[in-house]
Amino acid sequence: MVTGTATTMSKDPILKVEHLSMRFGGLMAINDFSFEATRGEITALIGPNGAGKTTVFNCITGFYKPTMGMITMRQKGGKEFLLERLPDFEITKRAKVARTFQNIRLFSGLTVLENLLVAQHNALMRASGYTILGLFGFPAYKKASLASIELAKYWLDKASLTDRADDPAGDLPYGAQRRLEIARAMCTQPELLCLDEPAAGLNPRESLALNTLLRDIRTDTGTSILLIEHDMSVVMEISDHVVVLEYGQKISDGNPQFVQNDPKVIAAYLGVEDDEVDEVIAEVEQVAATVGHGTGSTGERP
Amino acid sequence: MANISSPVSEPHAEPSVLARALKEAFFAGLVSLGLFCLFVGVETYQNINNELVWRMRWGLLAVFVGVAAVGRFLNVAFIRPALDKRKLAKAKSGILDVSEDKGFFHRHFLKIALIALLIYPPVSVMLRGVQGSLLLVDNFGIQILIYVMLAWGLNIVVGLAGLLDLGYVAFYAVGAYSYALLSTHFGLSFWVLLPLAGIFAALWGIILGFPVLRLRGDYLAIVTLAFGEIIRLVLINWTEVTKGTFGVSGIAKASIFGIWSFDVGSPSNFAKSFGLPMSSAYYKIFLFYVILFLCMLTAYVTIRLRRMPIGRAWEALREDEIACRSLGINTVTTKLTAFATGAMFGGFAGSFFAARQGFVSPESFVFIESAVILAIVVLGGMGSLTGIAIAAVVMVGGTELLREMNFLKAIFGPDFTPELYRMLIFGLAMVVVMLFKPRGFVGSRAPSAFLHTQKNVSGSFTKEGHG
């Protein structure tokens, strides 16, 4: 009954995940999982610990090859890429999907600016004639390298890291490292940005700053965002669309208000015995009926 | 020692320190006597009847005990108080020792070093005469510069890309044999074969690179080690081509761009053309400038590459390979270019080596050479050209210096050959340097780009790479 929703909503999907399954030996980490992310929206993937969210991310960004299923990335120009067939670096390079990591992976020995320049590797490689022309100081590379510093400056400013540009990335405080990782991913000029728990370990003020940064990214660059998050203040505040995963299966899919009130989600998060799930559903439906909203357990996006 | 009549405050410390130093020196002497009395003091030998007999070496034992006692005395009485006083003065002044304005020497270190290298051969000729300069220019100058170049080449693979390569000497061998074989069989000149040798070595770098791409860390190190041995064993066993352990001899000398040659019989001999007395020193001086140029080329290319996307990708690869892949960097080609570039400089150095020796054999390319080159890179500070050059001077120059230390025979007896202790001292030096400077002589790295001010990145942030 849940899977039916995937077909009802399709304005302009940027990412389409269909029947994704991932098996590690005897463990079915993801089981027949389908969802869509709409272009220009912030889609959140939530679920209890161990639900398989990061596995889904790793499948989308090519770090795992899924056992089954199809992941289609549709770019602005209408060009389509089957992500499960591309090697990981080509997913960023050609399909324009960038990602961050749950445990921050910065180049800690390089400066903040260098981190952002490494992210522009492919553009700079082309401009430097694959190193050879650049080695002889051709002007095209000089121009490209100036442009790359301009782009880095833009994202340094957005992530409010300009005054720390020349410090080693490993020297930054935790919150700044999170922002830098997002800025670095944006320097690859992606169409879809995948964030794995960007608010983990942030204090409330830093979380607010993160919300502003993510909204800015969406409105200023038109980049769609897919994020995994446990911090509900972030998820409910900024996301347009929430997908809930439990034990590798989708249990809910809809807008934040809908998901928040979905009894299955409540059951998954608060923990209800399996035989009580139907009871809870019945109870919630009853309450809903009396209030006058005829929302069933299937997610209809308003 | 205690002087009762003196004021109690300041001078009281002085005699007590000396007394303590004397006491500790006495005990140090006693301990070393106990330790060395059997190890060093007793010597066994066979007499004329082939019987094993022993005798005491009192003189040598006394030297050992004396060194221990005097060393301990000096340390306790003078060195340690001086260090403590300096530390105290520093703490009192309250200023951190990181002032930005360095001394004149420090600021212009590179220029001074380059000028010193350029005038090194003429100065040594002036000091020791044409024939006497051979020792200084060849044994010290060329020998050290070859290792500087090899270490700078390996630095690209180990220091920048973070791929631990224990078989680097294989590329050195490929370069040397390329020159040796192609010049003896086809009579090609040094200046044609120098780039060719580099290209061959780079190809071998790629050939080695392919199978080891998936390996990391210890596994990579073992496979590269095996690769180095494979090349050496091929050189030994492929006797039809390489002449096996006999090696290739009579390799043509390099000429000054084909204008002047250094062959004795040639009509355009350098010494003859300029009416100078015949000497092999001119060839060595010429080679000194060739290797100096090759070193400068290596340094220039490395510095340029670090500011290019490929160089940054190497360093990023050292820091975090997974993050690299998530940024769309093709780690396969990045690793291969690192291997190939490093190998190319090894190949240049190899062909130079063959031209200098006039003879190559597999014995020059044993594992210990790889280990020495790697040790120089690690001691110098991975990624730092200056640090590596200093480490090469200390390590290679130091071992060459040991050969010249004949005065040690006066202390340790006429049987003492200092160069036999080369590896012992090499190892000891490495342990000491790693204890006091765990990141090598130059532990910090200079960023390849900056926005406001260029600040060096402390070694505590950089990673060594996982292979």
Side-chain angles (χ1 to χ4, degrees), chain A residues 63 88-89 92 101 105 107-111 114 117-118 121-122 131 134-135 141 153 156 162 165-168 170-171, chain B residues 304-305 307-310 313 316 319-320 322-323 325-330 445 447-448 450-453 455 457 461 463:
Chain A
F63 282 83
D88 46 19
F89 73 94
T92 310
F101 295 88
R105 284 186 173 277
F107 306 122
S108 58
L110 308 189
T111 66
E114 282 178 303
L117 294 179
V118 170
H121 178 79
N122 287 314
T131 312
L135 207 53
Y141 173 64
K153 266 188 190 161
L156 279 174
T162 310
D166 299 320
D167 290 329
D171 201 16
Chain B
R304 281 307 290 263
L305 281 178
R307 295 188 192 137
M308 309 272 300
I310 188 72
E319 299 287 321
D320 194 326
I322 290 175
R325 298 212 305 252
S326 85
L327 295 175
I329 295 173
N330 185 346
R445 75 173 273 277
S448 63
F450 61 94
L451 212 54
H452 313 296
T453 49
K455 288 182 269 191
V457 175
F461 292 114
K463 301 204 174 87

Short mmCIF file of all heavy atoms in Angstrom, two decimals, chain A residues 63 88-89 92 101 105 107-111 114 117-118 121-122 131 134-135 141 153 156 162 165-168 170-171, chain B residues 304-305 307-310 313 316 319-320 322-323 325-330 445 447-448 450-453 455 457 461 463:
data_model
loop_
_atom_site.label_atom_id
_atom_site.label_comp_id
_atom_site.label_asym_id
_atom_site.label_seq_id
_atom_site.Cartn_x
_atom_site.Cartn_y
_atom_site.Cartn_z
N PHE A 63 29.42 3.77 -4.06
CA PHE A 63 30.38 3.11 -3.20
C PHE A 63 30.01 1.64 -2.98
O PHE A 63 30.85 0.83 -2.67
CB PHE A 63 30.52 3.87 -1.88
CG PHE A 63 31.36 5.09 -2.02
CD1 PHE A 63 30.83 6.28 -2.48
CD2 PHE A 63 32.72 5.04 -1.76
CE1 PHE A 63 31.62 7.40 -2.66
CE2 PHE A 63 33.52 6.16 -1.92
CZ PHE A 63 32.97 7.33 -2.38
N ASP A 88 32.27 4.84 -9.06
CA ASP A 88 31.95 5.91 -8.10
C ASP A 88 32.39 7.31 -8.53
O ASP A 88 31.64 8.26 -8.40
CB ASP A 88 32.49 5.57 -6.71
CG ASP A 88 33.92 5.06 -6.77
OD1 ASP A 88 34.59 5.33 -7.78
OD2 ASP A 88 34.37 4.42 -5.81
N PHE A 89 33.63 7.43 -9.08
CA PHE A 89 34.08 8.79 -9.38
C PHE A 89 33.35 9.39 -10.56
O PHE A 89 33.17 10.60 -10.64
CB PHE A 89 35.60 8.82 -9.60
CG PHE A 89 36.06 8.22 -10.89
CD1 PHE A 89 36.25 9.01 -11.99
CD2 PHE A 89 36.31 6.86 -10.98
CE1 PHE A 89 36.68 8.47 -13.19
CE2 PHE A 89 36.74 6.31 -12.18
CZ PHE A 89 36.92 7.11 -13.29
N THR A 92 30.14 11.40 -9.69
CA THR A 92 30.33 12.83 -9.40
C THR A 92 30.72 13.58 -10.66
O THR A 92 30.22 14.67 -10.94
CB THR A 92 31.43 13.00 -8.34
OG1 THR A 92 31.14 12.14 -7.26
CG2 THR A 92 31.48 14.43 -7.87
N PHE A 101 29.96 12.79 3.99
CA PHE A 101 30.04 11.53 4.74
C PHE A 101 29.56 11.74 6.18
O PHE A 101 29.65 12.83 6.74
CB PHE A 101 31.47 11.00 4.74
CG PHE A 101 31.94 10.62 3.38
CD1 PHE A 101 32.54 11.55 2.54
CD2 PHE A 101 31.77 9.33 2.91
CE1 PHE A 101 32.96 11.20 1.28
CE2 PHE A 101 32.20 8.97 1.65
CZ PHE A 101 32.79 9.91 0.82
N ARG A 105 34.96 13.47 6.16
CA ARG A 105 36.16 13.06 5.43
C ARG A 105 36.74 14.25 4.72
O ARG A 105 36.53 14.44 3.52
CB ARG A 105 35.80 11.97 4.42
CG ARG A 105 35.59 10.62 5.04
CD ARG A 105 35.39 9.59 3.97
NE ARG A 105 35.36 8.26 4.55
CZ ARG A 105 36.43 7.55 4.84
NH1 ARG A 105 37.62 8.05 4.60
NH2 ARG A 105 36.31 6.36 5.37
N PHE A 107 40.28 16.60 3.74
CA PHE A 107 41.72 16.42 3.58
C PHE A 107 42.36 17.27 4.68
O PHE A 107 42.65 18.44 4.47
CB PHE A 107 42.16 16.87 2.20
CG PHE A 107 41.38 16.20 1.09
CD1 PHE A 107 40.67 16.93 0.17
CD2 PHE A 107 41.37 14.81 0.99
CE1 PHE A 107 39.96 16.31 -0.83
CE2 PHE A 107 40.66 14.19 -0.01
CZ PHE A 107 39.96 14.93 -0.92
N SER A 108 42.58 16.66 5.84
CA SER A 108 42.89 17.48 7.01
C SER A 108 44.25 18.16 6.90
O SER A 108 44.46 19.19 7.53
CB SER A 108 42.83 16.62 8.27
OG SER A 108 43.72 15.54 8.16
N GLY A 109 45.16 17.62 6.12
CA GLY A 109 46.48 18.25 6.00
C GLY A 109 46.53 19.33 4.93
O GLY A 109 47.54 20.00 4.78
N LEU A 110 45.47 19.47 4.15
CA LEU A 110 45.42 20.54 3.15
C LEU A 110 44.65 21.72 3.76
O LEU A 110 43.84 21.53 4.66
CB LEU A 110 44.71 20.07 1.87
CG LEU A 110 45.19 18.78 1.23
CD1 LEU A 110 44.52 18.60 -0.13
CD2 LEU A 110 46.68 18.75 1.04
N THR A 111 44.92 22.91 3.25
CA THR A 111 44.20 24.06 3.80
C THR A 111 42.75 24.03 3.32
O THR A 111 42.39 23.28 2.41
CB THR A 111 44.84 25.39 3.37
OG1 THR A 111 44.69 25.52 1.97
CG2 THR A 111 46.31 25.44 3.74
N GLU A 114 42.56 24.77 -0.30
CA GLU A 114 43.01 23.64 -1.12
C GLU A 114 41.94 22.55 -1.19
O GLU A 114 41.76 21.92 -2.24
CB GLU A 114 44.30 23.05 -0.55
CG GLU A 114 45.53 23.85 -0.87
CD GLU A 114 46.78 23.26 -0.25
OE1 GLU A 114 46.80 23.09 0.98
OE2 GLU A 114 47.71 22.94 -0.99
N LEU A 117 39.72 23.51 -3.82
CA LEU A 117 40.33 23.43 -5.15
C LEU A 117 40.42 21.97 -5.63
O LEU A 117 40.24 21.70 -6.82
CB LEU A 117 41.72 24.06 -5.15
CG LEU A 117 41.73 25.58 -4.90
CD1 LEU A 117 43.15 26.10 -4.89
CD2 LEU A 117 40.91 26.32 -5.94
N VAL A 118 40.69 21.06 -4.70
CA VAL A 118 40.73 19.64 -5.07
C VAL A 118 39.38 19.22 -5.64
O VAL A 118 39.30 18.44 -6.59
CB VAL A 118 41.11 18.77 -3.85
CG1 VAL A 118 40.90 17.30 -4.17
CG2 VAL A 118 42.55 19.00 -3.45
N HIS A 121 38.82 19.42 -9.35
CA HIS A 121 39.85 18.69 -10.08
C HIS A 121 39.53 18.50 -11.56
O HIS A 121 40.35 18.82 -12.42
CB HIS A 121 40.02 17.32 -9.41
CG HIS A 121 41.01 16.43 -10.07
ND1 HIS A 121 42.36 16.57 -9.89
CD2 HIS A 121 40.85 15.38 -10.92
CE1 HIS A 121 42.99 15.65 -10.59
NE2 HIS A 121 42.10 14.92 -11.22
N ASN A 122 38.33 18.01 -11.85
CA ASN A 122 38.03 17.64 -13.23
C ASN A 122 38.00 18.84 -14.16
O ASN A 122 38.55 18.80 -15.26
CB ASN A 122 36.72 16.87 -13.30
CG ASN A 122 36.89 15.47 -12.73
OD1 ASN A 122 37.85 14.79 -13.06
ND2 ASN A 122 36.00 15.08 -11.85
N THR A 131 47.38 18.42 -17.44
CA THR A 131 48.66 18.76 -16.82
C THR A 131 49.71 19.25 -17.81
O THR A 131 50.48 20.14 -17.49
CB THR A 131 49.26 17.56 -16.04
OG1 THR A 131 48.24 17.01 -15.22
CG2 THR A 131 50.41 17.99 -15.18
N GLY A 134 49.41 22.95 -18.83
CA GLY A 134 49.56 23.75 -17.62
C GLY A 134 50.99 23.82 -17.15
O GLY A 134 51.45 24.83 -16.62
N LEU A 135 51.73 22.72 -17.35
CA LEU A 135 53.12 22.65 -16.90
C LEU A 135 53.97 23.70 -17.63
O LEU A 135 54.92 24.22 -17.09
CB LEU A 135 53.65 21.24 -17.18
CG LEU A 135 54.78 20.74 -16.29
CD1 LEU A 135 54.42 20.85 -14.84
CD2 LEU A 135 55.09 19.30 -16.64
N TYR A 141 45.15 27.76 -18.56
CA TYR A 141 45.14 27.19 -17.22
C TYR A 141 45.16 28.28 -16.16
O TYR A 141 44.49 28.19 -15.15
CB TYR A 141 46.33 26.24 -17.03
CG TYR A 141 46.44 25.77 -15.60
CD1 TYR A 141 45.43 24.99 -15.06
CD2 TYR A 141 47.51 26.13 -14.80
CE1 TYR A 141 45.49 24.57 -13.74
CE2 TYR A 141 47.58 25.72 -13.49
CZ TYR A 141 46.57 24.94 -12.96
OH TYR A 141 46.63 24.54 -11.66
N LYS A 153 36.04 30.98 -3.36
CA LYS A 153 35.73 32.15 -2.51
C LYS A 153 34.23 32.25 -2.28
O LYS A 153 33.79 32.55 -1.17
CB LYS A 153 36.21 33.43 -3.22
CG LYS A 153 37.58 33.89 -2.82
CD LYS A 153 37.78 35.25 -3.48
CE LYS A 153 39.21 35.75 -3.36
NZ LYS A 153 39.44 36.79 -4.36
N LEU A 156 33.31 29.66 0.20
CA LEU A 156 33.88 30.02 1.51
C LEU A 156 32.98 31.04 2.18
O LEU A 156 32.70 30.97 3.38
CB LEU A 156 35.28 30.61 1.33
CG LEU A 156 36.43 29.64 1.12
CD1 LEU A 156 37.69 30.41 0.81
CD2 LEU A 156 36.62 28.78 2.35
N THR A 162 35.57 32.26 5.24
CA THR A 162 36.56 33.05 4.51
C THR A 162 37.78 33.37 5.35
O THR A 162 38.91 33.29 4.87
CB THR A 162 35.92 34.36 4.01
OG1 THR A 162 34.71 34.02 3.35
CG2 THR A 162 36.84 35.08 3.05
N ALA A 165 40.40 30.53 5.56
CA ALA A 165 40.73 29.90 4.27
C ALA A 165 42.12 29.29 4.23
O ALA A 165 42.34 28.29 3.57
CB ALA A 165 40.58 30.92 3.15
N ASP A 166 43.09 29.90 4.94
CA ASP A 166 44.46 29.42 4.83
C ASP A 166 44.88 28.52 5.98
O ASP A 166 46.06 28.23 6.15
CB ASP A 166 45.41 30.61 4.71
CG ASP A 166 45.11 31.43 3.47
OD1 ASP A 166 44.83 30.80 2.43
OD2 ASP A 166 45.13 32.66 3.54
N ASP A 167 43.92 28.11 6.80
CA ASP A 167 44.23 27.19 7.90
C ASP A 167 44.02 25.76 7.44
O ASP A 167 43.19 25.50 6.57
CB ASP A 167 43.32 27.48 9.10
CG ASP A 167 43.67 28.80 9.75
OD1 ASP A 167 44.86 29.16 9.70
OD2 ASP A 167 42.77 29.47 10.28
N PRO A 168 44.76 24.82 8.04
CA PRO A 168 44.52 23.43 7.68
C PRO A 168 43.11 23.00 8.07
O PRO A 168 42.59 23.43 9.11
CB PRO A 168 45.56 22.65 8.49
CG PRO A 168 46.10 23.60 9.48
CD PRO A 168 45.90 24.97 8.97
N GLY A 170 42.02 20.29 9.16
CA GLY A 170 41.95 19.52 10.39
C GLY A 170 41.93 20.41 11.62
O GLY A 170 41.64 19.94 12.72
N ASP A 171 42.26 21.69 11.45
CA ASP A 171 42.34 22.62 12.58
C ASP A 171 40.99 23.27 12.87
O ASP A 171 40.83 23.97 13.86
CB ASP A 171 43.39 23.69 12.24
CG ASP A 171 43.91 24.38 13.48
OD1 ASP A 171 43.70 23.84 14.58
OD2 ASP A 171 44.53 25.45 13.36
N ARG B 304 56.13 22.67 -9.63
CA ARG B 304 55.05 23.04 -10.56
C ARG B 304 53.87 22.09 -10.42
O ARG B 304 52.71 22.52 -10.39
CB ARG B 304 55.55 23.01 -12.00
CG ARG B 304 56.35 24.20 -12.44
CD ARG B 304 55.67 25.51 -12.19
NE ARG B 304 54.52 25.76 -13.05
CZ ARG B 304 54.56 26.48 -14.16
NH1 ARG B 304 55.68 27.01 -14.54
NH2 ARG B 304 53.47 26.66 -14.87
N LEU B 305 54.16 20.80 -10.35
CA LEU B 305 53.08 19.81 -10.30
C LEU B 305 52.24 19.97 -9.03
O LEU B 305 51.04 19.73 -9.04
CB LEU B 305 53.64 18.40 -10.36
CG LEU B 305 54.05 17.91 -11.75
CD1 LEU B 305 54.63 16.52 -11.67
CD2 LEU B 305 52.87 17.93 -12.70
N ARG B 307 51.28 22.57 -7.71
CA ARG B 307 50.29 23.64 -7.87
C ARG B 307 49.29 23.33 -8.96
O ARG B 307 48.42 24.13 -9.25
CB ARG B 307 51.00 24.96 -8.20
CG ARG B 307 51.84 25.41 -7.05
CD ARG B 307 52.38 26.80 -7.28
NE ARG B 307 53.39 27.06 -6.29
CZ ARG B 307 54.55 27.65 -6.55
NH1 ARG B 307 54.81 28.03 -7.79
NH2 ARG B 307 55.42 27.86 -5.61
N MET B 308 49.44 22.15 -9.58
CA MET B 308 48.52 21.76 -10.65
C MET B 308 47.47 20.84 -10.06
O MET B 308 47.68 20.26 -8.99
CB MET B 308 49.28 21.02 -11.75
CG MET B 308 50.50 21.73 -12.25
SD MET B 308 50.09 22.82 -13.57
CE MET B 308 49.43 21.68 -14.72
N PRO B 309 46.35 20.68 -10.77
CA PRO B 309 45.31 19.78 -10.23
C PRO B 309 45.83 18.38 -9.93
O PRO B 309 45.43 17.80 -8.93
CB PRO B 309 44.24 19.78 -11.31
CG PRO B 309 44.83 20.47 -12.48
CD PRO B 309 45.90 21.34 -11.99
N ILE B 310 46.74 17.87 -10.75
CA ILE B 310 47.20 16.50 -10.52
C ILE B 310 47.98 16.41 -9.21
O ILE B 310 47.82 15.47 -8.44
CB ILE B 310 48.02 15.98 -11.73
CG1 ILE B 310 48.32 14.49 -11.57
CG2 ILE B 310 49.33 16.71 -11.90
CD1 ILE B 310 47.14 13.63 -11.76
N ALA B 313 45.65 16.51 -6.41
CA ALA B 313 44.95 15.23 -6.30
C ALA B 313 45.84 14.19 -5.62
O ALA B 313 45.36 13.38 -4.83
CB ALA B 313 44.52 14.73 -7.68
N ALA B 316 45.70 14.94 -2.01
CA ALA B 316 44.37 14.59 -1.50
C ALA B 316 44.25 13.08 -1.35
O ALA B 316 43.67 12.57 -0.40
CB ALA B 316 43.30 15.13 -2.43
N GLU B 319 45.71 12.05 1.77
CA GLU B 319 44.90 12.40 2.93
C GLU B 319 43.69 11.48 3.06
O GLU B 319 43.37 11.04 4.16
CB GLU B 319 44.44 13.85 2.84
CG GLU B 319 45.58 14.86 2.80
CD GLU B 319 46.27 15.00 4.14
OE1 GLU B 319 45.57 14.99 5.15
OE2 GLU B 319 47.51 15.11 4.18
N ASP B 320 42.97 11.25 1.98
CA ASP B 320 41.75 10.44 2.08
C ASP B 320 41.32 9.99 0.69
O ASP B 320 40.81 10.78 -0.10
CB ASP B 320 40.63 11.25 2.73
CG ASP B 320 39.47 10.37 3.15
OD1 ASP B 320 39.20 9.37 2.45
OD2 ASP B 320 38.86 10.67 4.18
N ILE B 322 38.89 7.81 -0.20
CA ILE B 322 37.44 7.71 -0.40
C ILE B 322 36.86 9.09 -0.71
O ILE B 322 36.04 9.25 -1.61
CB ILE B 322 36.79 7.06 0.82
CG1 ILE B 322 37.20 5.59 0.87
CG2 ILE B 322 35.28 7.21 0.78
CD1 ILE B 322 36.72 4.85 2.07
N ALA B 323 37.33 10.10 0.03
CA ALA B 323 36.86 11.45 -0.24
C ALA B 323 37.23 11.87 -1.65
O ALA B 323 36.45 12.54 -2.34
CB ALA B 323 37.44 12.43 0.78
N ARG B 325 37.45 9.96 -4.26
CA ARG B 325 36.52 9.35 -5.22
C ARG B 325 35.18 10.06 -5.18
O ARG B 325 34.52 10.21 -6.21
CB ARG B 325 36.36 7.86 -4.90
CG ARG B 325 37.65 7.10 -5.01
CD ARG B 325 37.40 5.67 -5.46
NE ARG B 325 36.47 4.98 -4.60
CZ ARG B 325 36.80 4.02 -3.75
NH1 ARG B 325 38.04 3.63 -3.66
NH2 ARG B 325 35.89 3.44 -3.02
N SER B 326 34.77 10.50 -3.99
CA SER B 326 33.48 11.18 -3.90
C SER B 326 33.52 12.55 -4.58
O SER B 326 32.47 13.13 -4.83
CB SER B 326 33.08 11.35 -2.43
OG SER B 326 33.66 12.51 -1.89
N LEU B 327 34.71 13.04 -4.88
CA LEU B 327 34.81 14.34 -5.57
C LEU B 327 35.04 14.16 -7.06
O LEU B 327 35.38 15.10 -7.76
CB LEU B 327 35.94 15.17 -4.97
CG LEU B 327 35.71 15.56 -3.50
CD1 LEU B 327 36.93 16.26 -2.95
CD2 LEU B 327 34.50 16.45 -3.37
N GLY B 328 34.90 12.94 -7.54
CA GLY B 328 35.02 12.72 -8.98
C GLY B 328 36.44 12.58 -9.47
O GLY B 328 36.70 12.74 -10.65
N ILE B 329 37.39 12.31 -8.56
CA ILE B 329 38.77 12.13 -8.98
C ILE B 329 38.99 10.66 -9.32
O ILE B 329 38.67 9.79 -8.52
CB ILE B 329 39.74 12.57 -7.88
CG1 ILE B 329 39.60 14.07 -7.64
CG2 ILE B 329 41.16 12.23 -8.23
CD1 ILE B 329 40.38 14.58 -6.47
N ASN B 330 39.52 10.42 -10.51
CA ASN B 330 39.80 9.05 -10.92
C ASN B 330 41.08 8.60 -10.20
O ASN B 330 42.19 8.98 -10.58
CB ASN B 330 39.97 9.00 -12.44
CG ASN B 330 40.15 7.60 -12.94
OD1 ASN B 330 40.39 6.67 -12.16
ND2 ASN B 330 39.99 7.43 -14.23
N ARG B 445 54.15 21.32 5.82
CA ARG B 445 54.04 21.41 4.36
C ARG B 445 53.55 22.80 3.98
O ARG B 445 52.73 23.40 4.68
CB ARG B 445 53.10 20.33 3.82
CG ARG B 445 51.64 20.55 4.03
CD ARG B 445 50.81 19.51 3.29
NE ARG B 445 50.52 19.88 1.92
CZ ARG B 445 49.54 20.68 1.56
NH1 ARG B 445 48.77 21.22 2.44
NH2 ARG B 445 49.34 20.96 0.28
N PRO B 447 51.35 25.15 1.76
CA PRO B 447 50.15 24.98 0.94
C PRO B 447 50.39 25.40 -0.50
O PRO B 447 51.23 26.26 -0.77
CB PRO B 447 49.11 25.87 1.62
CG PRO B 447 49.89 26.83 2.43
CD PRO B 447 51.17 26.17 2.80
N SER B 448 49.67 24.78 -1.43
CA SER B 448 49.91 25.04 -2.85
C SER B 448 49.18 26.30 -3.32
O SER B 448 49.44 26.77 -4.41
CB SER B 448 49.47 23.84 -3.67
OG SER B 448 48.08 23.64 -3.53
N PHE B 450 46.98 30.03 -1.66
CA PHE B 450 46.50 30.71 -0.46
C PHE B 450 45.69 31.93 -0.84
O PHE B 450 45.83 32.46 -1.94
CB PHE B 450 47.65 31.08 0.47
CG PHE B 450 48.66 32.01 -0.13
CD1 PHE B 450 48.55 33.38 0.05
CD2 PHE B 450 49.71 31.52 -0.88
CE1 PHE B 450 49.47 34.24 -0.51
CE2 PHE B 450 50.63 32.38 -1.45
CZ PHE B 450 50.51 33.74 -1.27
N LEU B 451 44.84 32.36 0.09
CA LEU B 451 43.94 33.47 -0.18
C LEU B 451 44.49 34.76 0.43
O LEU B 451 44.60 35.77 -0.23
CB LEU B 451 42.56 33.15 0.41
CG LEU B 451 41.36 33.71 -0.32
CD1 LEU B 451 41.38 33.30 -1.78
CD2 LEU B 451 40.08 33.19 0.33
N HIS B 452 44.84 34.68 1.72
CA HIS B 452 45.32 35.90 2.40
C HIS B 452 46.82 35.79 2.69
O HIS B 452 47.61 36.56 2.20
CB HIS B 452 44.55 36.09 3.71
CG HIS B 452 43.08 35.94 3.56
ND1 HIS B 452 42.34 36.80 2.78
CD2 HIS B 452 42.21 35.04 4.06
CE1 HIS B 452 41.06 36.43 2.82
NE2 HIS B 452 40.96 35.36 3.59
N THR B 453 47.21 34.82 3.52
CA THR B 453 48.62 34.66 3.86
C THR B 453 48.99 33.20 3.74
O THR B 453 48.16 32.33 3.99
CB THR B 453 48.89 35.07 5.32
OG1 THR B 453 47.90 34.44 6.15
CG2 THR B 453 48.87 36.56 5.51
N LYS B 455 50.46 30.16 5.17
CA LYS B 455 50.85 29.60 6.46
C LYS B 455 51.17 28.13 6.25
O LYS B 455 50.38 27.42 5.64
CB LYS B 455 49.70 29.73 7.46
CG LYS B 455 49.47 31.15 7.93
CD LYS B 455 48.36 31.23 8.95
CE LYS B 455 47.02 31.45 8.31
NZ LYS B 455 45.95 31.78 9.24
N VAL B 457 51.40 24.26 6.94
CA VAL B 457 50.51 23.34 7.65
C VAL B 457 51.38 22.45 8.54
O VAL B 457 52.30 21.80 8.06
CB VAL B 457 49.72 22.48 6.65
CG1 VAL B 457 48.89 21.45 7.39
CG2 VAL B 457 48.85 23.35 5.79
N PHE B 461 48.79 17.62 11.22
CA PHE B 461 47.53 17.50 10.48
C PHE B 461 47.66 16.60 9.26
O PHE B 461 46.71 15.95 8.86
CB PHE B 461 47.04 18.87 10.04
CG PHE B 461 46.62 19.74 11.18
CD1 PHE B 461 47.31 20.88 11.48
CD2 PHE B 461 45.53 19.38 11.97
CE1 PHE B 461 46.93 21.67 12.55
CE2 PHE B 461 45.15 20.17 13.03
CZ PHE B 461 45.85 21.32 13.33
N LYS B 463 48.58 13.53 6.81
CA LYS B 463 48.60 12.09 7.00
C LYS B 463 49.71 11.48 6.16
O LYS B 463 50.22 12.10 5.23
CB LYS B 463 47.25 11.50 6.58
CG LYS B 463 46.11 12.09 7.39
CD LYS B 463 44.92 11.16 7.42
CE LYS B 463 43.85 11.66 8.34
NZ LYS B 463 42.93 12.60 7.66
#
